[in-house]
């Protein structure tokens, strides 16, 4: 048997048909769940944290936003590190990093330490999905990548959906401080197992068969090296700005579900911790269903319209319109269960916009798709920075009028429709210029 630079010569690999590449999807799905558990658990423990550390709603809003600000700022740098050093080393580092600061959340003793800890936590999580996408590009043939991304985002949404129930049951046997320690430890275990198994080059995995390796490498796009990003043209691109603005509108209202929602249900709807946890699952669960439904329905819509750009604009308009209508409906319903069902369908609707947004980044960005998508995602998460703080100030100045916060989110959703009306989501920005 001949090996070169640690790689097994494909001629000597076993000829049986292997499925080793699917383990990359398993690792990605598992990490997506862990990511959202670590991200969402603070929303469920927020009332306890505010009580024990004597935080006001404004202070809690800054705690929520500290994570999102770091997540937005470090999105592009973390993706670049994956391109430079490989997903294996970078994912190992960032998962251990954010797991440590998940654990450290339980050590916070005051406002400053909590804000710093959550900011550092966000800086770690920022590299998760760009580097998982890079691993998909390396390990999966093109025909399997879209489905893998669909499974990944459904797992992420559903991981967040069931986190409230998980946290409630964990809090029955330990304090919120120890709960953060438990969730952080799970991430460390994942990082160690992933680092031992994963290789940046599939040829370095000796379990993979020759036929599977050929399938992966036959259609793999090999980068010609680093490219000089034309930042000036990107900044001047109308398409890029419209993509960023619509994603800001999408994210502003969505972040309510993973920050203030449990507090809203307990204070605004007067539900118990248990009941609020059950109803908190609806927005993220139905959001995952929305992403899956969009991916399923898009081919049908494309055949009907015969125009990819028109299909994307139509789906986005349906999504933003539905999110606006269902969120406004939730404020008129007195029964908490029905109100949350309406809010869940608002989440379902807004997730109909997600696949088209990311597909537009690939088409508009062309060979700079990573930069364009990172820019869009950064702007979207800046919406997530603003949202918790604005909600806190609205509550302070309106005597805890939760309906007013939802009215504003609905209005911002509605604005997203107009950004899509003027967006060309197909033509590369260089050609458009």
């Amino acid at each position: 048997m001949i090996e070169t630079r640690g790689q097994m010569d494909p001629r000597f690999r076993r000829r049986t048909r292997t499925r080793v590449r699917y383990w990359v999807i398993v690792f990605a799905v598992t990490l997506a769940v862990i990511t959202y558990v670590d991200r969402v658990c603070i929303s469920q423990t927020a009332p306890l944290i505010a009580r024990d550390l004597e935080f006001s709603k404004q202070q809690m809003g800054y705690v929520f936003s500290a994570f999102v600000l770091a997540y937005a700022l470090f999105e592009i740098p973390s993706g670049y590190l994956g391109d430079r050093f490989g997903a294996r080393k970078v994912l190992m580092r960032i998962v251990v990093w954010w797991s440590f600061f998940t654990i450290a959340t339980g050590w916070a003793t005051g406002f400053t330490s909590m804000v710093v800890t959550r900011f550092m936590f966000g800086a770690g999580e920022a590299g998760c999905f760009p580097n998982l996408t890079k691993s998909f590009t390396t390990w999966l043939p093109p025909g399997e990548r879209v489905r893998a991304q669909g499974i990944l985002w459904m797992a992420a949404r559903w991981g967040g959906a069931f986190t409230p129930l998980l946290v409630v049951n964990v809090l029955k046997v330990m304090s919120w401080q120890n709960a953060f320690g438990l969730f952080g430890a799970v991430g460390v275990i994942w990082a160690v197992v992933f680092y031992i198994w994963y290789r940046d080059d599939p040829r370095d995995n000796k379990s993979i068969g020759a036929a599977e390796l050929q399938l992966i490498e036959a259609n793999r796009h090999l980068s010609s090296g680093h490219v000089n990003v034309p930042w000036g043209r990107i900044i001047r691109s109308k398409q890029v700005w419209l993509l960023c603005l619509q994603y800001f509108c999408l994210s502003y209202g969505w972040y309510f579900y993973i920050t203030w929602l449990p507090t809203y249900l307990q204070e605004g709807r007067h539900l118990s911790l248990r009941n609020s946890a059950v109803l908190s699952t609806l927005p993220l669960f139905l959001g995952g269903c929305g992403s899956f439904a969009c991916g399923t329905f898009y081919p049908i819509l494309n055949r009907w319209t015969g125009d990819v750009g028109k299909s994307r604009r139509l789906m986005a308009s349906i999504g933003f319109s539905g999110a606006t209508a269902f969120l406004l409906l939730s404020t008129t319903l007195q029964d908490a269960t029905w109100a949350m069902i309406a809010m869940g369908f608002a989440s379902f609707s807004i997730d109909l916009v997600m696949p088209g947004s990311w597909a537009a980044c690939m088409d508009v960005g062309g060979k700079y798709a990573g930069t364009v998508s990172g820019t869009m995602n950064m702007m979207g998460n800046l919406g997530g920075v603003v949202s918790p703080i604005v909600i806190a100030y609205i509550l302070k100045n309106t005597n805890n009028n939760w309906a007013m916060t939802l009215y504003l989110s609905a209005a911002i959703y509605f604005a997203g429709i107009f950004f899509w009306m003027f967006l060309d989501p197909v033509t590369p920005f260089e050609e458009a210029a």
Side-chain angles (χ1 to χ4, degrees):
M1 183 172 295
I2 301 174
E3 294 187 27
T4 303
R5 293 180 289 107
Q7 299 170 357
M8 182 181 293
D9 191 318
R11 292 175 299 171
F12 298 96
R13 291 179 182 272
R14 49 183 173 159
R15 296 295 175 179
T16 56
R17 186 176 295 276
T18 57
R19 299 285 191 278
V20 177
R21 67 189 183 280
Y22 293 148
W23 279 103
V24 175
I25 301 177
V26 172
F27 274 107
V29 165
T30 306
L31 185 60
V33 172
I34 294 172
T35 300
Y36 267 65
V37 169
D38 289 350
R39 186 184 304 187
V40 175
C41 62
I42 194 169
S43 66
Q44 194 63 37
T45 57
L48 300 177
I49 293 173
R51 180 198 66 192
D52 293 349
L53 301 184
E54 299 180 347
F55 290 169
S56 66
K57 282 188 171 60
Q58 288 70 41
Q59 288 177 310
M60 206 65 222
Y62 281 113
V63 169
F64 289 144
S65 293
F67 156 75
V68 191
L69 176 61
Y71 189 80
L73 293 178
F74 287 88
E75 184 79 15
I76 296 176
S78 296
Y80 167 77
L81 288 175
D83 289 335
R84 181 71 181 272
F85 300 108
R88 181 173 180 249
K89 291 181 179 179
V90 175
L91 276 173
M92 170 72 173
R93 178 192 63 79
I94 66 175
V95 177
V96 170
W97 176 285
W98 97 53
S99 297
F100 172 80
F101 284 103
T102 298
I103 297 170
T105 301
W107 302 340
T109 57
F111 176 68
T112 301
S113 60
M114 180 64 79
V115 168
V116 171
T117 300
R118 297 307 292 178
F119 183 90
M120 299 302 287
F121 166 70
E125 275 214 348
C128 177
F129 291 106
N131 282 282
L132 288 179
T133 298
K134 180 177 178 62
S135 70
F136 283 174
T137 304
T138 303
W139 274 81
L140 301 178
E144 297 179 356
R145 292 174 191 168
V146 173
R147 180 177 297 177
Q149 285 283 1
I151 295 171
L152 174 68
W153 282 104
M154 180 182 292
R157 293 292 201 242
W158 286 2
F162 293 107
T163 295
L165 291 175
L166 174 64
V167 173
V168 165
N169 285 291
V170 169
L171 291 177
K172 290 180 180 178
V173 297
M174 63 181 68
S175 66
W176 64 265
Q177 291 92 338
N178 291 333
F180 280 103
L182 173 64
F183 297 141
V186 174
V188 174
I189 294 171
W190 183 95
V192 172
V193 176
F194 173 80
Y195 189 80
I196 292 173
W197 183 87
Y198 184 81
R199 295 294 181 271
D200 289 318
D201 191 331
R203 290 174 293 179
D204 292 335
N205 188 307
K206 297 182 180 181
S207 299
I208 194 168
E212 184 178 16
L213 186 63
Q214 185 177 10
L215 175 65
I216 293 171
E217 295 190 331
N219 298 302
R220 194 201 304 184
H221 174 69
L222 299 177
S223 174
S224 59
H226 295 294
V227 294
N228 293 319
V229 177
W231 285 107
R233 277 177 285 172
I234 289 176
I235 292 172
R236 292 191 299 270
S237 172
K238 171 186 172 183
Q239 292 164 282
V240 173
W241 274 104
L242 289 173
L243 277 172
C244 289
L245 290 170
Q246 64 86 26
Y247 211 63
F248 180 96
C249 295
L250 184 154
S251 299
Y252 177 92
W254 184 85
Y255 263 94
F256 176 79
Y257 304 135
I258 63 170
T259 54
W260 284 112
L261 180 58
T263 305
Y264 161 71
L265 289 173
Q266 293 171 44
E267 296 184 4
R269 292 288 181 171
H270 309 292
L271 298 181
S272 66
L273 181 65
R274 174 74 182 180
N275 289 337
S276 69
V278 172
L279 291 179
S280 292
T281 65
L282 284 174
L284 291 184
F285 177 80
L286 289 176
C289 294
S291 293
F292 180 80
C294 181
T296 302
F297 187 64
Y298 247 128
I300 300 172
L301 189 59
N302 282 334
R303 288 195 296 270
W304 178 54
T305 64
D307 186 321
V308 174
K310 185 182 294 185
S311 297
R312 290 176 182 171
R313 283 190 291 270
L314 180 58
M315 183 67 78
S317 297
I318 292 172
F320 275 117
S321 299
T324 302
F326 280 115
L327 199 57
L328 291 175
L329 176 62
S330 73
T331 66
T332 68
L333 299 171
Q334 298 300 314
D335 184 83
T337 301
W338 283 107
M340 284 309 302
I341 290 173
M343 197 174 289
F345 277 103
S347 178
F348 175 93
S349 299
I350 205 62
D351 264 32
L352 294 175
V353 186
M354 285 278 288
S357 298
W358 287 93
C361 283
M362 290 187 282
D363 289 344
V364 170
K367 61 182 176 181
Y368 308 110
T371 301
V372 172
S373 60
T375 303
M376 182 192 77
N377 203 30
M378 181 179 68
M379 181 62 79
N381 281 287
L382 288 178
V385 173
V386 173
S387 175
I389 297 173
V390 170
I391 289 172
Y393 276 96
I394 291 175
L395 294 174
K396 178 183 178 181
N397 292 291
T398 61
N399 193 26
N400 291 330
N401 187 337
W402 287 96
M404 189 63 67
T405 69
L406 300 178
Y407 293 154
L408 178 58
S409 294
I412 293 174
Y413 278 154
F414 190 69
I417 301 172
F418 297 96
F419 294 129
W420 269 96
M421 285 174 60
F422 297 100
L423 172 62
D424 176 359
V426 177
T427 306
F429 74 90
E430 290 187 298
E431 292 182 19

